[in-house]
């Protein structure tokens, strides 16, 4: 997709479950290049592998570097099952990289830290707006449409799918979706 600025207001549809996976690395010792360079290279290999496999479940991603120490990657996935399948598959990049990371950390110490957070967001429980932006974030991952009268405000984009006060949301439905009780 192009990085060309799209003039106007756009929103990504909220009609599907989304898994937002944040992962990152923090370089704790800048001079310990041999400890952190393989991790950063591994991140790149994993992203290349995922981008070239349309069946992986990865919908899109965004890299947020914060030099010199931090790197964060935002990923959008179809389902938690596809994310977990990729992470556990010994024939994919993640599993061997994870094993190597633990081996290196045990031997070399705490020169680099890694982290991740996973959010399962049911359909209708996310909204977005992009104003005079190129395709970006979730809108780039799943597409976006111009904002109209029905989707003018954030509350409008979430309306009709939010639980009433006091209702509980259960993320237990297969595929990570929520259900009202």
């Amino acid at each position: 997709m192009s990085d060309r600025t799209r003039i106007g207001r756009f929103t990504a549809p909220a009609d599907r479950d989304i898994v937002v996976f944040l992962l990152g690395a923090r370089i704790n010792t800048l001079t310990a290049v041999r400890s952190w360079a393989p991790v950063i290279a591994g991140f790149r290999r994993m992203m290349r592998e995922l981008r070239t496999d349309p069946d992986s479940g990865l919908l899109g991603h965004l890299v947020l570097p914060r030099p010199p120490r931090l790197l964060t990657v935002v990923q959008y996935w179809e389902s938690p099952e596809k994310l977990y399948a990729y992470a556990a598959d010994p024939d994919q990049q993640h599993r061997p990289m994870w094993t190597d990371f633990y081996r290196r950390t045990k031997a070399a110490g705490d020169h680099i830290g890694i982290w991740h957070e996973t959010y399962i967001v049911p359909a209708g429980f996310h909204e977005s707006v992009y104003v005079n932006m190129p395709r970006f974030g979730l809108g780039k991952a799943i597409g976006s449409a111009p904002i109209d009268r029905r989707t003018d405000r954030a509350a409008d984009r979430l309306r009709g799918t939010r639980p009433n006060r006091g209702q509980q949301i259960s993320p237990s439905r297969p595929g990570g979706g929520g259900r009202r009780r």
Side-chain angles (χ1 to χ4, degrees), residues 20 27 30-31 42 54 70 77 98 103 107 114 121 133 138 154 166 173:
V20 180
I27 300 170
L30 290 171
T31 57
L70 296 174
W77 286 79
W98 187 247
R103 182 183 54 76
I114 59 171
V121 187
M133 290 284 297
L138 184 60
R173 190 179 84 212

Side-chain angles (χ1 to χ4, degrees), residues 29-38:
T29 309
L30 290 171
T31 57
V33 177
R34 288 185 184 168
S35 293
W36 56 259

Side-chain angles (χ1 to χ4, degrees), residues 29-166:
T29 309
L30 290 171
T31 57
V33 177
R34 288 185 184 168
S35 293
W36 56 259
V39 174
I40 303 304
F43 271 31
R44 288 185 178 136
R45 284 193 309 273
M46 285 189 295
M47 291 311 307
R48 186 172 30 250
E49 177 178 68
L50 286 164
R51 281 193 314 266
T52 60
D53 181 3
D55 296 327
S56 69
L58 180 72
L59 299 169
H61 76 285
L62 177 63
V63 178
L64 304 171
R66 198 170 120 204
R69 293 187 183 274
L70 296 174
L71 172 68
T72 300
V73 180
V74 179
Q75 295 179 347
Y76 304 98
W77 286 79
E78 289 177 18
S79 70
E81 293 82 8
K82 289 208 172 183
L83 171 62
Y84 301 149
Y86 175 75
D89 188 337
D91 295 326
Q92 300 289 344
Q93 290 288 324
H94 177 266
R95 195 74 198 155
M97 185 187 144
W98 187 247
T99 302
D100 184 58
F101 172 77
Y102 272 123
R103 182 183 54 76
R104 286 175 181 275
T105 302
K106 191 173 184 177
D110 60 356
H111 298 299
I112 186 165
I114 59 171
W115 62 276
H116 80 254
E117 299 174 358
T118 306
Y119 302 93
I120 299 170
V121 187
F125 288 85
H126 53 90
E127 71 83 25
S128 58
V129 65
Y130 311 95
V131 181
N132 299 335
M133 290 284 297
R135 296 184 190 277
F136 188 82
L138 184 60
K140 184 176 182 179
I142 66 172
S144 62
I147 289 179
D148 58 25
R149 288 178 53 194
R150 293 176 299 111
T151 58
D152 188 48
R153 299 175 316 130
D156 296 334
R157 294 186 291 274
L158 292 169
R159 182 168 294 154
T161 56
R162 294 181 310 181
N164 294 329
R165 190 169 291 203

